[in-house]
Amino acid sequence: MGDVAKDLSAGTLGGAAQLICGHPFDTIKVKLQSQPVPLPGQAPRYSGAIDAVKQTLAAEGPRGLYKGMGAPLATVAAFNAVLFTVRGQMEAFLQSSPGTPLTVGQQVVCGAGAGVAVSFLACPTELIKCRLQAQSSIATIGLAVPSGVGVPGAAVAVKYGGPMDVARHVLRSEGGARGLFNPTFAREIPGNAAMFGVYEGLKQYLAGGQDTSSLGRGSLILAGGLAGASYWGCVYPTDVVKSVLQVDDYKNPKYSGSVDAFRKTFKSEGVKGLYKGFGPAMARSIPANAACFLAYEVTRSSLG
């Protein structure tokens, strides 16, 4: 139980560091993913990540970049505690003897198992977060604002007052608790398998062997940042499908499911449509995951 407590504590602090560093990037990613396809001859709501940042700051101020943070903040402790604890327990199960380093392949298996576990937390949290992040980009603006031009104080018609309001709406109007679960499994399982596999592989490469206990913080930051980038590089189209389904109108849906959302997005926007917001996602993943893994490793080491 000592190892479980260490993973719980270290995972919690790692998740908090990740969220603080990465949430503004995530907000821009979701806004770009969920913006409506423009009609022929019309410009998209956001021309790119920088334009989305400018419009968000002009219309909503800095707080707009942290929309939807309440849901993941409330669950970040549980999410990362489960992620790192399940991974740690799977490591112990796969070890031939206590303390024996695992191979990269075994770490991939541990990451996939951890992804299964955290999906049960990630599904409702992601739905609430995406609804709050995207509502300003799909709501009706009280003033006609040309693309790329922000109007401070413009009244954005918002549907939800906060995380609990989203949860209440989904539970009452969208099929009960089942409405909170969307295809986050397809993202978390392969994404975490890739992330932990790359993380361990890079650590072993930098250490020159399986013993990585002597690595410095710079090496841990590098390995964590690149591991985070591998997560998104592996599953990004799946994340786009997840986001468009989570902000879809329940009463008048555009998509009948994940496959339908993939097909329609690809048909209307091509490969580019499956990578909307990829820049902010990658810009977020490197510093956020570097902070997460560093906080985890330092905390766990300090606990003995």
Side-chain angles (χ1 to χ4, degrees), residues 276-287:
K276 292 185 294 186
F278 185 68
M282 293 302 286
R284 165 190 176 272
S285 68
I286 295 175

Side-chain angles (χ1 to χ4, degrees), residues 48-274:
I50 300 300
D51 183 43
V53 171
K54 289 178 179 178
Q55 288 198 48
T56 300
L57 290 174
E60 305 174 67
R63 292 179 61 184
L65 295 173
Y66 284 88
K67 281 287 184 66
M69 188 174 173
L73 184 62
T75 58
V76 67
F79 183 92
N80 283 276
V82 169
L83 180 68
F84 283 99
T85 301
V86 171
R87 178 216 179 197
Q89 291 304 294
M90 290 195 68
E91 284 181 323
F93 176 76
L94 293 175
Q95 285 173 336
S96 56
S97 60
T100 304
L102 298 183
T103 65
V104 173
Q106 289 173 317
Q107 286 290 352
V108 169
V109 173
C110 292
V116 173
V118 299
S119 292
F120 291 99
L121 289 172
C123 286
T125 301
E126 283 284 314
L127 186 146
I128 292 170
K129 174 181 71 67
C130 287
R131 293 272 179 105
L132 291 172
Q133 288 173 324
Q135 67 175 341
S136 63
S137 64
I138 60 178
T140 300
I141 304 297
L143 299 172
V145 183
S147 177
V149 178
V151 178
V156 179
V158 295
K159 184 176 181 179
Y160 307 110
M164 294 304 298
D165 190 32
V166 177
R168 282 193 295 267
H169 180 86
V170 172
L171 290 170
R172 292 174 182 173
S173 307
E174 301 187 17
R178 289 177 301 172
L180 288 171
F181 289 87
N182 277 285
T184 306
F185 286 92
R187 185 192 72 177
E188 292 296 331
I189 296 172
N192 280 293
M195 183 174 70
F196 283 111
V198 169
Y199 181 64
E200 187 61 30
L202 285 171
K203 285 204 305 177
Q204 291 184 15
Y205 173 78
L206 293 170
Q210 286 191 311
D211 183 6
T212 62
S213 59
S214 62
L215 284 178
R217 293 186 179 185
S219 296
L220 295 175
I221 289 172
L222 177 62
L226 293 178
S230 72
Y231 177 105
W232 290 111
C234 176
V235 300
Y236 197 80
T238 303
D239 187 67
V240 172
V241 170
K242 174 197 69 66
S243 292
V244 299
L245 286 173
Q246 288 178 328
V247 301
D248 198 13
D249 187 341
Y250 177 77
K251 294 182 179 179
N252 185 29
K254 296 179 183 177
Y255 313 107
S256 60
S258 301
V259 175
D260 186 47
F262 180 90
R263 287 175 177 171
K264 288 181 177 177
T265 301
F266 182 77
K267 183 178 180 179
S268 63
E269 303 175 70
V271 174
K272 185 178 179 180
L274 295 171

Side-chain angles (χ1 to χ4, degrees), residues 34-54:
S34 60
Q35 65 176 325
V37 177
L39 296 174
Q42 291 186 350
R45 173 68 184 276
Y46 306 114
S47 62
I50 300 300
D51 183 43
V53 171
K54 289 178 179 178

